[in-house]
Amino acid sequence: MNTGILEVLLVNAKGIKHTNLVGIPSYYVIIECGCQCQRSKVSKGKHKKPWWNEKFIFDFSSLDYKNSTYVNCTIMDTKPYRHGGFVGEAKVYIGGLITEGIKEGHIEIKPTPYNVVLEDHTYQGQIKIGLKFFANKENYEYVNVMGKEFIAPKKETNSIFGSFMKLWRTISWWKGQFDPDWGNLADSIGVVTNNPAEDDNNLQ
């Protein structure tokens, strides 16, 4: 299986816990997916709605497809002279996203707010995250480097009804060449009696 790409868009947060006793807090987010971990820049904006507008790229091997079932976003606030303090976290489950993305080649979930869970397992505030999944790197580069719109490959389908109608059109045309009444009947029931060979020429 080709290596896929998961793109996480970290947009903003609102209503999250204020852990600083003094001053206006600023935040960063630790984003984990499987065994991969990345850290955001420090937020901008006011405490009530800090924002990042930052993208993160995770490479997916065939092993990651099975083991990476969610993206965990841990919100930390900056502390002077020491490591940041825990604010809350949000888990975004991606199993269905990956399954559908493998099937279609590419899938996108627009930025959506997710509840932030505190240390005591209660909820306070939300963090907005968008997701994109590409089944292989070539698709991702085509969209993001070339700036093209992704178009999923068409799937071949076998339609019994379509095959029947094609056969019926062919029979109708040949019958119409020798029996004018048949041509009138075909017209009355909505069957197109064009020459099949002419249809093929029109497609060329």
Side-chain angles (χ1 to χ4, degrees):
M1 182 181 292
N2 293 329
T3 301
I5 295 290
L6 175 68
E7 179 184 286
V8 179
L9 173 62
L10 176 63
V11 183
N12 58 40
K14 66 176 182 178
I16 58 179
K17 186 177 180 181
H18 184 173
T19 57
N20 284 10
L21 297 178
V22 294
I24 299 176
S26 53
Y27 306 90
Y28 62 92
V29 180
I30 298 173
I31 302 176
E32 300 170 276
C33 184
C35 60
Q36 302 178 66
C37 181
Q38 300 188 45
R39 172 180 163 164
S40 77
K41 62 189 178 184
V42 176
S43 65
K44 298 181 180 180
K46 297 181 179 181
H47 158 65
K48 291 185 177 181
K49 195 170 184 179
W51 56 271
W52 297 273
N53 286 337
E54 192 173 356
K55 290 182 180 180
F56 303 87
I57 305 301
F58 295 89
D59 289 337
F60 265 61
S61 66
S62 57
L63 182 63
D64 292 325
Y65 284 112
K66 299 178 181 178
N67 297 336
S68 301
T69 58
Y70 63 86
V71 173
N72 192 72
C73 300
T74 304
I75 305 173
M76 309 288 289
D77 67 350
T78 57
K79 299 282 188 181
Y81 312 113
R82 61 189 180 95
H83 294 296
F86 177 83
V87 176
E89 64 180 3
K91 285 185 178 180
V92 183
Y93 290 90
I94 59 174
L97 175 81
I98 293 174
T99 300
E100 193 66 22
I102 293 173
K103 185 188 303 181
E104 299 296 332
H106 163 249
I107 189 171
E108 176 179 1
I109 297 178
K110 299 293 185 182
T112 304
Y114 297 90
N115 290 331
V116 175
V117 184
L118 307 181
E119 283 185 299
D120 60 2
H121 304 294
T122 59
Y123 300 93
Q124 182 175 333
Q126 295 178 324
I127 184 169
K128 184 176 284 188
I129 297 168
L131 298 168
K132 291 182 181 179
F133 180 77
F134 295 82
N136 58 65
K137 283 187 175 182
E138 288 74 15
N139 290 347
Y140 179 78
E141 292 170 353
Y142 183 76
V143 173
N144 291 275
V145 178
M146 302 296 292
K148 304 293 186 180
E149 179 182 358
F150 179 83
I151 301 176
K154 293 183 178 180
K155 299 178 180 179
E156 294 184 359
T157 57
N158 294 321
S159 173
I160 296 177
F161 177 77
S163 299
F164 172 77
M165 289 304 297
K166 185 176 181 180
L167 176 62
W168 178 257
R169 286 199 309 163
T170 303
I171 295 173
S172 298
W173 181 81
W174 282 107
K175 290 283 289 184
Q177 302 307 303
F178 305 102
D179 188 353
D181 292 335
W182 174 269
N184 295 333
L185 174 61
D187 291 339
S188 66
I189 61 176
V191 176
V192 179
T193 57
N194 292 337
N195 187 338
E198 292 177 353
D199 290 345
D200 292 339
N201 291 334
N202 290 334
L203 293 176
Q204 295 177 355

